[in-house]
């Protein structure tokens, strides 16, 4: 990529992470700002500022990872979660005109998947899917080396017919998300251990051998496995990467997930596919947004 | 496509359909043979014969639609259903060497989706998914005009956690397939109306206003809607096409499916997406296999 540099911006509900990234995925000048959530104008002003303080003559493009399904044809965020950004503005054109540079936009979990594919846990893979387990459950996929630019909202696959309703703007029932996030884990833990217990504490308890904690994580892992099983039968990936804060539950959820995936996958794929934790941590979204910026150059 | 012609072959559990197809999707010399299922050698001999009787100097390539997930990198059928074809042979290379022509292979439902996209119900769409409801439940997708060449085994998405076991070689539970096929419908109908009733008769009864028949089809449609809802959140298609023999149940299953999809889809996609019946009937697989042959030329 000829020594070119781009700016990657990962827009989250509480923080804007931005940095200058080179073609090898190295991040320089990483910065964090609180996300302005007062209005869409405030939010755009905050993003402008985050970009401007990194901008110089060597920057060839800008990429944004947004917490929303994206319509790539119109360049719009279709349903952002927790932040005042909606389809009323053509986000990509607005940013491209503002900075007179090529701009790429992607969903934040798609961006994270792309980063893990190039520089993280999936760098040896050809086809991979990723699930991020945090407050919500995001998804992304890379197919034969190319980022899947559809929605990939894997947290909103139905895995329990007529099951638990989603929260917020999603009206669905029995989606993967409310069964596998840190929020879901905290809820289950609080029923057993009292209101002060969160997902982090639940994982600690499991680590100490507490049987009910292990059982809760086992149930979460089995639901996760049902979702991964569906993805295996759709994408036949070499590798499934689990990221986000609740991935810290590690093998307490991944081992039961592996067991269910072995059962659900066609043609032995459930036994072949590897299920591993993400490697890039909180930088994945920023680096992935930068990769989307590089793609916008070609 | 310069007046070129290809041979399309749709290999099914009981029949081999083959024909010469031009770039406009017109089929000439359509032929049917019984599928030889005695051994893999018999099966290959039957396919050879079906091709040979259509072969002439104007044929530029051959495409095969196979009832199996396909590994496109190795050119092999990974787990064929009901026929003696397995990953022990490099099917694509074998056929390409045999006939000294470019050969493309695809899953049969992927092929049908491709045909409906180019010449059938989805010819106005940009991104579409298809489900075929017959003995089993197959799936295919076209994304931004390009055939999705992954497995797309949408019948094997988990929609009912720990639900009904699959039949045959699939060890999964609660997959879409055992809830939405003609076989599933017949089973439910027989519990109510006695052992002589099949899916066809069930649909007739619903058409005559029989409330229990309508209720059975409603339940099937709602499960179908859960599966389509997952696909909407993954692919954000303009259009969902329902094919296969049991698509004859029409709005008795599609109306309840639409209702559930409206609930499950993110960002209003469940309301926007259109769900329609396939148009090409039993020729879809053959025409799609021909399209895969044309792709093998480029």
């Amino acid at each position: 990529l000829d020594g070119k540099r781009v700016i990657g911006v990962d827009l989250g509900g509480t923080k804007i992470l931005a940095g200058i990234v080179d073609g090898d995925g190295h991040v320089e000048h990483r910065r964090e700002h609180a996300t302005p959530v007062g209005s869409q104008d405030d939010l755009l002003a905050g993003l402008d500022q985050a970009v401007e303080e990194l901008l110089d003559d060597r920057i060839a493009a800008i990429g944004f990872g947004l917490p929303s399904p994206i319509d790539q044809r119109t360049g719009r965020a279709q349903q952002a979660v927790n932040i005042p950004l909606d389809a009323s503005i053509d986000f990509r054109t607005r940013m491209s005109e503002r900075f007179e540079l090529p701009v790429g936009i992607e969903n934040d979990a798609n961006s994270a998947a792309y980063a893990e594919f190039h520089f993280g846990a999936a760098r040896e893979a050809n086809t991979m899917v990723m699930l991020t387990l945090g407050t919500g459950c995001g998804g992304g996929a890379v197919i034969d080396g190319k980022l899947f630019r559809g929605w990939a909202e894997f947290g909103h696959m139905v895995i329990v017919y007529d099951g638990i309703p989603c929260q917020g703007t999603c009206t669905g029932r029995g989606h993967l998300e409310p069964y596998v996030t840190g929020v879901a884990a905290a809820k289950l833990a609080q029923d057993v251990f009292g209101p002060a217990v969160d997902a982090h504490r639940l994982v600690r308890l499991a680590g100490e051998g507490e049987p009910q904690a292990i059982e809760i994580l086992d149930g979460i892992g089995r639901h996760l496995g049902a979702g991964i099983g569906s993805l295996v039968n759709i994408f036949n990936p070499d590798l499934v990467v689990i990221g986000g804060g609740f991935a810290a539950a590690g093998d307490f959820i991944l081992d039961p997930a592996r067991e269910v995936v072995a059962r659900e996958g066609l043609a032995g794929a459930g036994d072949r596919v590897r299920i591993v934790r993400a490697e890039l941590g909180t930088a994945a979204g920023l680096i992935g947004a930068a990769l989307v910026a590089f793609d916008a150059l070609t």
Side-chain angles (χ1 to χ4, degrees), chain A residues 123-210:
Chain A
R123 59 189 173 276
E124 309 285 323
N126 183 61
T127 293
M128 63 86 84
V129 301
M130 181 167 177
L131 289 166
T132 59
L133 311 181
T135 312
C137 173
V142 177
I143 303 168
D144 276 332
K146 288 189 65 175
L147 179 63
F148 172 62
R149 306 212 64 167
W151 275 4
E153 290 283 355
F154 304 146
H156 295 277
M157 300 186 294
V158 175
I159 62 155
V160 182
Y161 181 76
D162 265 341
I164 299 176
C166 274
Q167 301 292 314
T169 51
C170 179
T171 58
R173 294 189 202 159
H175 292 186
L176 182 60
E177 180 167 285
Y179 295 91
V180 298
T181 62
V183 171
K187 230 178 251 178
L188 293 166
Q190 285 159 12
D191 289 345
V192 175
F193 299 108
V197 175
D198 62 7
H200 186 74
R201 177 81 186 122
L202 175 68
V203 174
R204 287 262 309 265
L205 286 167
E208 291 162 9
E210 159 59 45

Side-chain angles (χ1 to χ4, degrees), chain A residues 72-161:
Chain A
Q72 290 292 349
R73 280 191 284 172
T74 64
R76 288 162 202 264
Q78 293 180 278
Q79 187 186 47
V81 178
N82 300 324
I83 56 165
L85 178 64
D86 63 40
S88 66
I89 68 155
D90 176 348
F91 186 93
R92 191 172 52 206
T93 302
R94 191 268 183 205
M95 288 299 180
S96 181
E97 288 177 357
R98 179 88 170 77
F99 297 107
E100 296 181 339
L101 284 173
V103 166
I105 67 174
E106 248 310 338
N107 171 264
D108 51 2
N110 288 20
S111 300
Y114 207 18
E116 291 288 342
F117 177 80
H118 274 284
F119 305 116
R123 59 189 173 276
E124 309 285 323
N126 183 61
T127 293
M128 63 86 84
V129 301
M130 181 167 177
L131 289 166
T132 59
L133 311 181
T135 312
C137 173
V142 177
I143 303 168
D144 276 332
K146 288 189 65 175
L147 179 63
F148 172 62
R149 306 212 64 167
W151 275 4
E153 290 283 355
F154 304 146
H156 295 277
M157 300 186 294
V158 175
I159 62 155
V160 182
Y161 181 76

Side-chain angles (χ1 to χ4, degrees), chain A residues 199-226:
Chain A
H200 186 74
R201 177 81 186 122
L202 175 68
V203 174
R204 287 262 309 265
L205 286 167
E208 291 162 9
E210 159 59 45
Q212 284 178 290
I214 292 170
E215 195 186 322
I216 289 170
L217 293 173
D218 182 79
I220 291 170
R222 296 182 71 81
H223 284 82
L224 180 63

